[in-house]
Amino acid sequence: MLRQQDVGHRIVVRRIVGIREGRPLFSDALGELVELSETHLTLATAQGQLRVPVAQVHRAKRVPPTRRPTAAAVVALERAADEAWPAPTRGRLGDWLLRAADGWTGRANSALPIGDPDRTLPAAVDAVERWYAEQGRPALINTPLPLAAPVGAELDTRGWGSRPPTLVQTAPLPLVDLDPGAGSAAAGADVDLVAAPSTAWLAIAAGRKGGLPDAARHVLTAVDQVRFAHVYVDGTLVAIGRGTVTGQGRWLGLSLIEVLPEARRQGLARTVIAALADWGGSAGATHAFLQVEQHNTAAVALYRRLGFTTHHTYLTRVAPH
């Protein structure tokens, strides 16, 4: 049966659609799982969204994607994502990247093992452990899958742990289904896009990420093309977002899309994304990407409606204490 970690992945579902002569009739559906609850699962199929009661599910399982991205495509997107989230302290092992930012976010405080580390794999992992020890930080390695599967196998033998999977999702620009709907609070909301975040913007980001050390400001702002979205209601900042254009101008990166609890379910996240997508497209970007934790099913469902699909996944691996 399916689990929450299957959200965002391609699945096939055999469901009971009727009874004939005392025997069940089955129908199969293939698509991306966008929501899974105790009572229903929702698939995005080629014919549209399909909501299936769990009681009707006879069998369901994850299946391989129709087309896996090439290794070169994964490397290019991971490089663009690194440019969009730049750690202030950096090192290299051949092609591998070493990154540290005072512990603020796993992405900015982990090694990225893509390409040739210019040494054997065990020696490369040894060097990663030494580098992070010198930084006074725990060693983390982000492993894009399946590209970095050999690295993951080496880490398994050393007893490294793993954080929940993260989906790297992409969509062509312009995005679809960005209208928040007539009558919603977002329908008339204005979005201010500025090159530097306000104090209130940073406060919301700090609440989302558990603080904001000096290194975090570097991560957020040290990108040539970056915009910070602000949405105010009655003079109060209620929604934020961040957009970057990296990867030789191809990729719009979306991050920190956040709406205060009292303003949620009113279309404001769509409004923020629409404004950043317009800016990214005008800057020359042809595609958008984002990184979302697999278990954040509400966000995964929203992004699926906007046209995002999972390009690849990564695991943040954690060295044993």
Side-chain angles (χ1 to χ4, degrees), residues 170-172 175-177 302-309:
T170 63
L175 301 178
V176 300
D177 196 21
L302 168 63
Y303 298 141
R304 183 63 183 82
R305 291 193 293 271
L306 302 182
F308 284 89
T309 58

Side-chain angles (χ1 to χ4, degrees), residues 89-102:
T89 302
R90 304 173 71 85
R92 296 190 76 97
L93 290 176
D95 296 327
W96 287 21
L97 301 179
L98 306 172
R99 307 171 293 189
D102 292 345

Side-chain angles (χ1 to χ4, degrees), residues 112-132:
L112 182 59
I114 54 178
D116 183 359
D118 198 27
R119 64 206 72 199
T120 67
L121 183 53
V125 175
D126 290 342
V128 169
E129 292 176 337
R130 287 194 301 271
W131 191 85
Y132 281 98

Side-chain angles (χ1 to χ4, degrees), residues 68-94:
R68 285 184 174 176
T70 64
V74 173
V75 169
L77 182 48
E78 285 291 330
R79 297 285 190 201
D82 175 68
E83 292 175 39
W85 202 255
T89 302
R90 304 173 71 85
R92 296 190 76 97
L93 290 176

